[in-house]
């Protein structure tokens, strides 16, 4: 699961600090989750799935489809990227994210 979280975080273009702030945990704890050294609570799993707009099943197993509405994070840079991509480019990025799971 940690590998999927890291891959999604990077695909969204956000740092460990930014994501940990969004879901209410410390950056060091998120780093441990990403490396597979620590487990995760149901509450944090839900927070991650809401943030990434995917199912908890996808995060846990990689076997569920992600939501089709791909967002690229909440930073000003990510919002600019979202505005600059056309629908075809957004679909390609969505396909890439699905492929790397």
């Amino acid at each position: 699961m940690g590998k999927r979280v890291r891959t999604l975080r990077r695909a969204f273009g956000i740092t460990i600090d930014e994501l940990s702030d969004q879901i209410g945990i410390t950056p060091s704890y998120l780093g441990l989750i990403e490396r597979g050294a620590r487990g995760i609570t149901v509450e944090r799993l839900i927070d991650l799935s809401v943030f990434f707009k995917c199912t908890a099943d996808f995060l846990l197993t990689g076997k569920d489809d992600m939501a089709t509405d791909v967002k690229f994070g909440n930073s000003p840079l990510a919002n600019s990227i979202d505005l600059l991509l056309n629908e075809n480019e957004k679909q390609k990025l969505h396909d890439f994210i699905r492929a790397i799971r």
Side-chain angles (χ1 to χ4, degrees), residues 2 9 19 21-22 28 35 37 41 47 59 69-70 75 81 85 88 97-98:
R9 178 181 58 75
L19 180 56
D21 185 53
Q22 289 290 318
S28 60
R35 289 189 300 279
T41 65
D47 291 340
L59 289 173
D69 181 25
V70 176
S75 70
I81 292 169
L85 295 178
N88 186 42
I97 292 170
R98 289 184 64 198

Side-chain angles (χ1 to χ4, degrees), residues 25-78:
I25 61 174
T26 65
S28 60
Y29 179 49
L30 180 56
L32 291 169
I33 291 168
E34 286 188 355
R35 289 189 300 279
R38 287 287 301 270
I40 188 168
T41 65
V42 172
E43 291 82 8
R44 296 294 81 84
L45 178 63
I46 292 168
D47 291 340
L48 285 169
S49 67
V50 168
F51 182 85
F52 289 126
K53 297 186 189 305
C54 66
T55 65
D57 189 46
F58 172 77
L59 289 173
L60 291 170
T61 68
K63 294 184 181 182
D64 198 2
D65 288 333
M66 293 182 58
T68 57
D69 181 25
V70 176
K71 293 296 278 181
F72 307 104
N74 295 321
S75 70
L77 176 60

Side-chain angles (χ1 to χ4, degrees), residues 74-93:
N74 295 321
S75 70
L77 176 60
N79 290 331
S80 297
I81 292 169
D82 186 44
L83 292 172
L84 292 172
L85 295 178
N86 65 40
E87 291 306 313
N88 186 42
E89 292 165 329
K90 287 179 187 179
Q91 183 59 48
K92 286 180 181 178
L93 180 57

Side-chain angles (χ1 to χ4, degrees), residues 7-18:
T7 300
L8 284 169
R9 178 181 58 75
R10 288 178 176 170
F12 275 59
I14 61 172
T15 66
I16 285 180
D17 290 334
E18 291 169 328

